[in-house]
């Protein structure tokens, strides 16, 4: 097994580094007793990846090109501080790890070093009067939401990865859930944060309803993907569980009809918690049991909250939507199947290469961006299909969630085909005036578009990174930092 | 109505035929089978992680449901060798089946990884803790070795009460109370002279040969007895008799019921008047998931007349006590105990009186924490009737 290898390290560098890493591992194994540090092969291989789809192909080929030197499981802030302190001294890379459900290689230990799995830090506390929940970063997403629901509250963050992901991962990637149009993304929910930054300092930004104490440092860590520090805790906004839930669905003749309807609805101030518009292909894929929807453009919607408000919102929706109303059944079907993830398991081992690409664009560019991205993906040799649904909405614009799948043509391997599809899709997004990521983040897959998207802003980000993490130990390589 | 995969066939019809194209098409048409269960699970983003007690408490990728399958795949592909260190993660499974309730493929990781666990035994991977248990089973027919002195009960009748290794070794009082309950319900209950282990601990550890040996012996003894019905307090035993014995051609000639299933049949007799006092309950995972009795225990307890405090994780969301499945508690007692604490914290927040329906769960709760009173469901009804 190649220790700590991933494309970039040469043999001599590796050897030099190995002795330093060994020293840090020795130090940490004294602190982290009770099996909370491992250098066992099964553990190292298990933490060599997250859910970056191309990695699934490598795993099936028995390739693990990014094996860490050790994995640790801290249980307290002191443990985390010790880890950062020792790694800083030894200049050993650290990779924070939540549920490993990130899809862009954000938690891949590219340069060897130590993976820090936060899942044993999972305490939580409910502050009912302040409508806040205080949660350690390793807490499982479902655990948190289920706990709140039982007590009559919701945080409203329901990503499709609710079951495998963690609270720290949500903040780390700037995640958002299926109910985001009402409840917002994790950045809207986060009110306070606790982070350990190099060389081992604890930064506590306590929760306030609002604060005007300089630039918002809490937000600075949202979407930082472990490159600035290890998030140990967050305080999040919660809501009383909704009094009323209204389920609506429509079949429209065109994507444009449905998208324009939502634009008008949002302009009037209605905010249905869930809105999903499926293009024709995805309508066929998800609603094949509904003859009267098959081949059309399906929209499912959930409006929830205070009864008076919910009724008013549904009135606006009914007044504005262009399409045939199809009742609650398609929404129930969506609710029942929304966590059923089977395709990767069935098709990847057969050599099918797939990914999802989520991007955002203002209303004025929405139709063009959709056409351009699907139009860029479809002609690529080997692509079996390219499709999209619109999954998150704002008064200013829309998030399109594209899916492509294909089998590499002769003379091209899975990776070559995969990267070609990404190149074409990203080019189309940039040319259509969109942003290259809406919620999955950057990781290792998207880093090469950071400069193009942020321009001088990226240079500033790099400077900040150098100041915060002088020795470059925090998730090195992620986002190109 | 169109077929589930018609949309993809439609899309693919316009595409030039490339390397893997025909395999995918054949799969869509049902002409080739897809990947193995272990590979499918290994490729899943852990969509049942939240339900797996090991994963929640241990917090390790390596022992998460998909993580175990990934290790299984690495063993199969010889990326990892079969040795104690590498097989250890596979043994960190409570056989609780909690994953199955959430799995889009209806997998229970403990089932899909059986071939690897069996292979590890074949390849001579030796866990000393298992060896001791295998020896005890071979020599004395009990996981705990030689059974001590036991009270005499009738050895013939209609309802055969199989006491199980755990109560015989650690809690004979419950056996006594259960026999009293049978009497109150006008049942001619008896015990089996020379009762042995059902064999499920060997099965869980991957020693199928030993399981079969024990199953053969017990099936013979039960079938030769005067029993018209078998009742057991242990859901794992019930699972073995009901589900595994027929699979291994050792089917019993009589109906087998777990105590909760039996009490469910007697529900009318148990309909007790409302009284003061409250209890909470812990549904054993083998009862809920293994035997598929998602609500039975709660239904039975609703007839007890006591006020019932329902845990957040109940029914199909139940959480293992930490001591299920034989292997975890033997190889990693600390982890079992942490899972137990996690569950107990939840239950204690509701009531200090906990009812369960499994000898291992009962043992685990009362052993680890003296400040709660733990009742077996039969013991409780015996007290109330
Ligand atoms: C099936 C599926 C569905 C998905 N659906 C959605 C969705 O609806 N919405 C959405 O936004 N995303 C979705 N995702 C993507 C992914 O689940 C999210 O990005 C999620 O937030 C990742 O959380 P995690 O705990 O798994 O983090 P990981 O994958 O472990 O880590 C992600 C990144 O965050 C960093 N990180 C993790 N924990 C910490 C910490 N404590 N401190 C600092 N950095 C940390 C890691 O270093 C890494 O860079 C989906 C993924 C899958 C596989
Ligand atoms: S059977 Fe139980 S312990 Fe084993 S993987 Fe499934 S949920 Fe986890
Ligand atoms: S058991 Fe099912 S849900 Fe759980 S990890 Fe495996 S495939 Fe996924």
């Amino acid at each position: 097994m190649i220790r700590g290898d991933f494309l970039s390290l040469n043999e001599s560098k590796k050897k030099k580094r190995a002795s330093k890493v060994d020293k840090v591992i020795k130090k940490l194994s004294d602190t982290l007793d009770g099996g909370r540090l491992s250098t066992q092969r099964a553990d190292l291989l298990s933490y060599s990846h997250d859910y970056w789809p191309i990695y699934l192909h490598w795993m099936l080929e028995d390739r693990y090109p990014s094996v860490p030197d050790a994995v640790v499981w801290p249980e307290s802030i002191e443990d985390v501080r010790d880890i950062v302190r020792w790694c800083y001294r030894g200049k050993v890379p650290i990779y924070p790890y939540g549920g490993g459900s990130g899809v862009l290689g954000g938690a891949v230990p590219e340069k060897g070093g130590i993976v820090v799995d936060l899942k044993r830090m999972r305490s939580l506390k409910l502050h009912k009067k302040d409508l806040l929940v205080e949660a350690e970063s390793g807490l499982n997403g479902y655990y948190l939401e289920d706990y709140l629901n039982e007590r009559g509250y919701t945080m409203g963050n329901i990503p499709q990865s609710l079951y495998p992901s963690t609270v720290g991962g949500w903040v780390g990637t700037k995640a958002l859930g299926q109910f985001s149009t009402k409840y917002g993304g994790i950045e809207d929910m986060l009110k306070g944060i606790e982070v350990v930054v190099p060389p081992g300092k604890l930064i506590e930004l306590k929760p306030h309803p609002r604060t005007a104490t300089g630039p918002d440092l809490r937000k600075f860590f949202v979407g930082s993907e472990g490159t600035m520090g290890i998030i140990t805790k967050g305080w999040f906004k919660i809501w009383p569980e909704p009094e009323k839930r209204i389920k609506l669905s429509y079949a429209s003749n065109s994507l444009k009809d449905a998208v324009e309807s939502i634009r008008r609805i949002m302009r009037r101030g209605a905010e249905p918690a869930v809105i999903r518009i499926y293009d024709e292909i995805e309508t066929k894929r998800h609603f094949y049991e509904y003859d009267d929807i098959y081949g059309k453009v399906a929209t499912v919607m959930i409006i929830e909250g205070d009864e008076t408000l919910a009724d008013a919102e549904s009135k606006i929706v009914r007044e504005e939507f262009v399409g045939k109303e199809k009742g609650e059944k398609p929404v129930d079907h969506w609710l029942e199947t929304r966590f059923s993830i089977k395709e990767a398991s069935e098709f990847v081992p057969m050599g099918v290469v797939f990914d999802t690409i989520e991007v955002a664009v203002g209303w004025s560019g929405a139709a063009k961006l959709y056409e351009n991205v699907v139009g860029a993906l479809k002609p690529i040799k080997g692509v079996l299909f390219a499709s999209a649904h619109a999954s998150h909405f704002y008064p200013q614009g829309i998030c399109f969630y594209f899916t492509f799948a294909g089998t590499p043509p002769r003379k091209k391997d899975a990776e070559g085909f995969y990267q070609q599809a990404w190149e074409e899709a990203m080019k189309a997004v940039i040319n259509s005036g969109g942003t290259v990521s809406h919620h999955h983040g950057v990781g290792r897959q998207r880093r090469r578009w950071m400069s193009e998207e942020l321009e001088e802003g990226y240079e500033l980000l790099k400077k900040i990174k150098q100041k915060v993490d002088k020795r470059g130990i925090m998730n090195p390589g992620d986002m190109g930092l | 109505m169109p077929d589930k995969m018609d949309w993809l066939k439609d899309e693919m019809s316009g595409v030039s035929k490339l390397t893997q194209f025909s395999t995918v098409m054949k799969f869509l048409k049902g002409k080739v089978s897809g990947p193995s269960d272990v590979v499918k699970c290994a490729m899943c983003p852990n969509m049942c992680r939240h339900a797996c007690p090991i994963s929640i408490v241990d917090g390790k990728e390596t022992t998460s449901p998909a993580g175990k399958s990934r290790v299984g795949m690495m063993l199969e592909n010889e990326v990892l060798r079969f040795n104690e260190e590498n097989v250890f993660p596979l043994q960190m499974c409570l056989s609780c089946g909690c994953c199955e309730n959430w799995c889009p493929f209806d997998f229970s990781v403990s089932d899909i990884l059986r071939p690897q666990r069996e292979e590890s035994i074949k390849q001579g991977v030796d866990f000393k803790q298992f060896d001791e248990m295998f020896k005890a089973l071979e020599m004395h027919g009990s996981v705990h070795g030689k059974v001590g002195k036991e009270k005499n009960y009738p050895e013939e009748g209609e309802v055969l009460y199989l006491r199980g290794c755990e109560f015989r070794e650690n809690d004979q009082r419950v056996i006594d109370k259960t026999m009293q309950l049978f009497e109150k319900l006008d049942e001619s209950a008896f015990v089996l002279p020379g009762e042995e282990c059902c064999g499920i601990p060997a099965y869980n550890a991957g020693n199928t040969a030993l399981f079969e040996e024990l199953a053969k012996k017990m099936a013979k003894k039960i079938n030769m007895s005067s029993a018209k019905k078998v009742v057991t307090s242990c859901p794992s035993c019930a699972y073995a008799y009901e589900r595994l014995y027929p699979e291994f051609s050792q089917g019993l000639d009589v109906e087998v019921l777990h105590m909760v299933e039996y009490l469910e049949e007697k529900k009318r007799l148990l309909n007790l008047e409302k009284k003061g006092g409250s209890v909470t309950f812990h549904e054993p995972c083998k009862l809920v998931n293994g035997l598929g009795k998602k609500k039975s225990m709660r239904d039975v307890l609703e007839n007890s007349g006591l006020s019932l405090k329902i845990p957040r994780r109940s029914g199909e969301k139940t959480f293992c006590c930490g001591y299920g499945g034989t292997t975890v508690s033997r190889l990693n007692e600390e982890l079992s105990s942490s899972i137990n604490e996690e569950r107990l914290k939840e239950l204690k927040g509701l009531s200090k009186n906990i009812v369960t329906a499994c000898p291992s769960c009962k043992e685990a709760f009362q052993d680890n924490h003296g400040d709660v009173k733990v009742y077996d469901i039969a013991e409780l009804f015996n007290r109330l009737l």
Side-chain angles (χ1 to χ4, degrees):
Chain A
M1 176 171 56
I2 315 165
R3 196 165 91 150
D5 184 40
F6 187 90
L7 313 170
S8 56
L9 286 184
N10 62 40
E11 281 302 318
S12 65
K13 263 196 192 157
K14 238 187 292 164
K15 261 196 209 127
K16 227 167 103 193
R17 216 210 43 197
S19 70
K20 275 205 275 179
V21 176
D22 287 342
K23 267 192 210 148
V24 172
I25 290 177
K26 169 82 191 49
K27 276 283 165 210
L28 286 177
S29 54
D30 293 342
T31 324
L32 301 166
D33 53 354
R36 290 185 295 138
L37 179 144
S38 171
T39 52
Q40 291 187 352
R41 202 174 151 90
D43 286 322
L44 301 186
L45 291 171
S46 299
Y47 284 91
S48 65
H49 59 87
D50 54 10
Y51 204 68
W52 188 6
I54 193 63
Y55 219 117
L56 300 179
H57 291 271
W58 297 343
M59 287 159 72
L60 289 164
E61 292 161 15
D62 299 334
R63 282 168 65 200
Y64 295 85
S66 54
V67 184
D69 295 287
V71 186
V72 292
W73 293 273
E75 287 176 355
S76 66
I77 291 179
E78 265 324 302
D79 288 346
V80 176
R81 292 186 66 183
D82 278 340
I83 293 162
V84 177
R85 234 179 253 141
W86 285 112
C87 288
Y88 180 81
R89 284 191 202 166
K91 224 177 156 200
V92 169
I94 291 177
Y95 307 86
Y97 201 103
S101 71
V103 285
L104 295 155
V108 166
E110 173 176 10
K111 295 183 176 160
I114 295 186
V115 172
V116 184
D117 186 342
L118 278 306
K119 285 195 289 290
R120 289 205 180 169
M121 291 182 63
R122 57 186 186 97
S123 69
L124 85 170
K125 212 178 195 174
L126 183 58
H127 304 282
K128 289 185 186 171
K129 191 151 189 191
D130 296 334
L131 283 177
L132 285 175
V133 66
E134 180 182 340
E136 279 193 307
S137 59
L139 187 68
N140 175 271
Y142 172 88
Y143 191 105
L144 171 62
E145 185 60 21
D146 191 46
Y147 178 94
L148 290 173
N149 292 168
E150 204 216 2
R151 288 158 179 79
Y153 297 91
T154 177
M155 188 160 131
N157 196 49
I158 321 287
Q160 195 188 27
S161 55
L162 182 75
Y163 301 162
S165 61
T166 64
V167 170
W170 293 352
V171 179
T173 55
K174 199 175 183 183
L176 95 173
Q178 296 157 341
F179 290 62
S180 73
T181 310
K182 178 179 173 67
Y183 299 102
I186 200 72
E187 71 277 17
D188 303 305
M189 297 162 192
L190 185 85
K191 288 287 173 189
I193 194 168
E194 207 180 70
V195 193
V196 175
V197 298
K201 282 216 164 69
L202 176 70
I203 297 187
E204 284 180 271
L205 301 166
K206 285 271 157 36
H208 299 292
R210 188 170 189 272
T211 166
T213 44
D216 196 339
L217 286 175
R218 297 168 303 180
K219 297 278 164 77
F220 172 69
F221 293 101
V222 178
S224 61
E225 299 186 6
T227 60
M228 303 292 173
I230 301 183
I231 301 157
T232 49
K233 191 192 270 184
W235 283 263
F236 302 91
K237 188 163 112 180
I238 56 168
W239 306 59
E241 273 216 283
E243 187 185 11
K244 185 163 184 184
R245 188 174 250 201
I246 300 169
K247 295 179 260 184
L248 294 171
S249 72
Y250 290 93
S252 307
N253 288 330
S254 72
L255 188 65
K256 187 160 167 270
D257 279 356
V259 167
E260 275 294 301
S261 302
I262 300 297
R263 185 182 67 77
R264 289 191 302 275
I265 288 164
M266 302 240 26
R267 200 179 171 87
R268 287 182 61 184
E271 288 180 339
V274 176
I275 311 172
R276 294 176 101 82
I277 305 173
Y278 296 90
D279 71 2
E280 280 175 33
I281 302 175
E282 296 205 7
T283 299
K284 283 174 160 183
R285 176 176 161 197
H286 296 293
F287 299 97
Y288 64 93
E289 289 163 66
Y290 299 83
D291 284 330
D292 52 343
I293 297 182
Y294 200 79
K296 302 255 180 203
V297 167
T299 300
V300 292
M301 245 184 269
I302 297 176
I303 297 167
E304 62 179 34
D306 177 89
E307 181 163 0
T308 317
L309 293 176
D311 287 341
E313 285 187 323
S314 69
K315 188 163 175 275
I316 294 178
V317 170
R318 289 196 165 106
E319 282 168 9
E320 297 291 349
F321 209 96
V322 177
K324 279 224 163 80
E325 211 175 313
K326 292 291 170 192
E328 293 197 347
K329 273 206 176 133
V331 190
D332 289 333
H333 172 74
W334 176 80
L335 282 167
E336 276 158 28
T337 53
R338 67 195 160 129
F339 295 118
S340 173
I341 308 283
K342 289 174 95 167
E343 282 89 351
S345 297
E346 284 176 327
F347 290 100
V348 172
M350 248 180 286
V352 174
V353 178
F354 86 100
D355 211 340
T356 57
I357 301 180
E358 26 59 67
V359 300
V361 65
W363 289 114
S364 54
K368 195 172 93 197
L369 183 136
Y370 171 82
E371 293 299 336
N372 289 353
V373 177
V374 172
L377 285 167
K378 270 196 172 157
I380 297 172
K381 211 167 172 195
V383 164
L384 300 174
F385 77 91
S387 62
H389 61 274
S391 51
H392 307 275
F393 300 83
Y394 308 86
Q396 289 70 33
I398 184 169
C399 159
F400 277 115
Y401 189 97
F402 294 94
T403 302
F404 73 86
T407 55
R410 255 178 269 284
K411 294 206 185 129
K412 220 177 202 143
D413 60 4
E415 195 179 345
F417 171 75
Y418 177 74
Q419 295 302 358
Q420 189 193 354
W422 266 91
E423 282 289 345
E424 296 301 335
M426 289 290 94
K427 218 188 301 164
V429 171
I430 293 168
N431 290 340
S432 315
T435 172
V436 296
S437 175
H438 175 262
H439 60 267
H440 285 165
V442 180
R444 287 171 171 77
Q445 176 55 27
R446 263 195 182 121
R447 59 187 165 193
R448 59 184 186 274
W449 291 283
M450 280 295 271
S451 171
E452 202 168 336
E453 165 116 12
L454 296 180
E455 299 178 339
E456 271 308 306
Y458 188 51
E459 297 309 310
L460 176 65
L461 183 63
K462 285 204 259 186
K463 279 190 197 139
I464 296 172
K465 160 81 177 175
Q466 276 156 14
K467 283 284 174 204
V468 175
D469 180 20
K470 275 195 201 81
R471 299 195 166 179
I473 57 164
M474 295 305 310
N475 202 357
D478 185 86
M479 292 200 272
L481 297 174
Chain B
M1 186 171 69
D3 255 10
K4 186 171 186 247
M5 284 298 177
D6 277 0
W7 70 275
L8 185 53
K9 287 183 214 156
D10 289 352
E11 289 303 303
M12 284 174 67
S13 66
V15 174
S16 60
K17 300 185 176 29
L18 301 161
T19 342
Q20 284 300 99
F21 182 95
S22 58
T23 322
V24 177
M25 211 34 151
K26 276 186 200 154
F27 173 70
L28 291 178
K29 291 180 176 163
K31 289 183 184 158
V32 290
S33 60
S36 74
D37 292 351
V38 172
V39 170
K40 274 192 201 154
C41 184
M43 294 291 109
C44 170
N46 251 324
M47 291 307 280
C48 61
R49 183 210 294 281
H50 61 297
C52 171
I54 293 283
S55 200
I56 288 295
V57 176
D58 201 25
K60 295 184 174 176
E61 285 307 300
T62 325
T63 55
S64 68
K68 284 190 278 255
S69 288
R70 289 169 195 157
V71 172
M73 185 175 85
M74 291 179 213
L75 287 165
E76 248 175 36
N77 296 356
E78 296 176 14
V79 173
L80 290 175
R81 273 187 303 127
F82 276 93
N83 60 28
E84 265 183 62
E85 184 177 304
N86 295 333
V87 171
F88 184 88
L90 303 192
Q91 302 290 11
M92 290 304 103
C93 180
L94 300 158
S95 299
C96 63
C98 293
C99 39
E100 193 176 345
N101 290 324
W102 301 84
C103 177
F105 300 105
D106 296 330
F107 290 158
S108 167
V109 171
S110 77
D111 290 342
I112 64 174
L113 286 172
R114 271 205 71 70
Q116 283 74 10
R117 293 213 297 276
E118 284 174 354
E119 183 62 27
S120 87
I121 296 277
K122 275 191 210 137
Q123 296 213 11
V125 177
D126 246 355
F127 290 103
K128 126 176 145 303
Q129 298 89 327
F130 288 178
D131 283 350
E132 284 164 13
M133 177 181 77
F134 295 154
K135 265 193 213 120
L137 285 169
E138 275 163 20
M139 289 170 62
H140 306 289
S142 161
V143 273
H144 298 294
K146 199 168 181 338
V147 181
K149 198 171 154 22
E150 290 180 286
K151 198 169 158 182
N152 290 332
Y153 296 105
E155 295 185 353
E156 253 181 55
E158 292 190 349
V159 173
L160 168 58
Y161 174 52
L162 290 174
R163 298 157 287 177
C165 303
E166 207 55 51
F167 279 160
R168 290 175 74 200
E169 173 73 16
N170 292 317
D171 215 341
Q172 292 196 12
R173 217 178 36 87
V174 181
I175 298 176
D176 216 39
K177 304 284 173 201
T178 308
M179 292 304 279
Q180 286 173 23
L181 176 69
F182 281 128
E183 220 175 295
K184 288 182 190 169
L185 294 171
D186 279 338
E187 210 74 83
S188 104
F190 71 105
V191 300
L192 192 68
E195 175 183 331
E196 293 196 36
C197 175
C198 64
I200 203 164
Y203 179 85
N204 287 337
N207 193 342
T208 312
L210 179 55
F211 167 71
E212 280 189 273
E213 210 179 288
L214 291 160
K216 219 182 250 172
K217 275 202 251 173
M218 270 305 274
K220 195 168 165 200
K221 285 186 188 174
I222 295 168
N223 286 338
M224 282 174 59
S225 75
S226 61
K228 297 216 168 89
K229 185 184 275 179
V230 169
V231 178
T232 167
S233 300
C234 173
S236 292
C237 297
Y239 178 80
Y241 297 131
E242 274 185 41
R243 305 284 163 94
L244 298 179
Y245 277 36
E247 231 179 78
F248 288 84
S249 312
Q250 300 300 333
L252 301 183
D253 302 336
V254 285
E255 182 190 22
V256 181
L257 295 173
H258 175 256
M259 181 56 75
V260 165
E261 296 173 292
Y262 168 78
L263 292 176
E264 210 176 11
E265 278 187 358
K266 302 275 165 195
K267 223 154 69 178
R268 260 183 299 125
L269 297 178
L270 302 174
N271 209 348
L272 299 167
E273 270 173 31
K274 279 250 163 310
K275 54 183 85 59
S278 74
V279 291
T280 187
F281 57 95
H282 166 82
E283 292 147 298
C285 33
K286 220 52 190 188
L287 174 71
V288 171
N289 299 322
L291 298 171
K293 299 286 163 185
K294 310 274 180 206
K295 267 194 85 223
S296 304
M297 183 162 169
R298 183 169 156 184
D299 284 351
V300 171
L301 282 173
E302 262 158 12
N303 288 10
S304 67
L306 296 166
S307 142
L308 263 196
K309 303 282 179 203
I310 299 158
R312 174 165 65 92
R313 290 177 285 198
S314 71
E316 65 175 14
K317 287 204 294 190
T318 196
F319 198 77
C320 180
C321 71
Y323 288 78
T326 312
T327 56
V328 184
S329 58
R330 285 184 170 73
L331 300 181
N332 193 350
E333 156 69 21
E334 207 182 319
L335 178 56
S336 284
S337 169
S338 303
I339 296 172
N340 187 258
E341 261 170 49
E342 157 102 15
R343 179 57 161 169
L344 200 64
K345 202 166 120 196
E346 182 184 353
L347 299 176
K348 267 205 297 199
L350 298 168
S351 169
K352 291 268 154 65
N353 297 313
I354 300 169
V355 188
T356 185
C358 166
S360 299
C361 302
K362 181 171 188 289
E363 210 55 36
F365 290 134
Q366 69 195 18
D367 271 10
N368 281 350
H369 307 269
D371 58 339
V372 288
K373 186 101 187 78
V374 190
Y375 300 91
D376 179 76
I377 193 159
E379 188 187 1
L380 179 83
F381 275 102
N382 180 53
R383 204 173 143 150
L384 295 174
L385 272 174

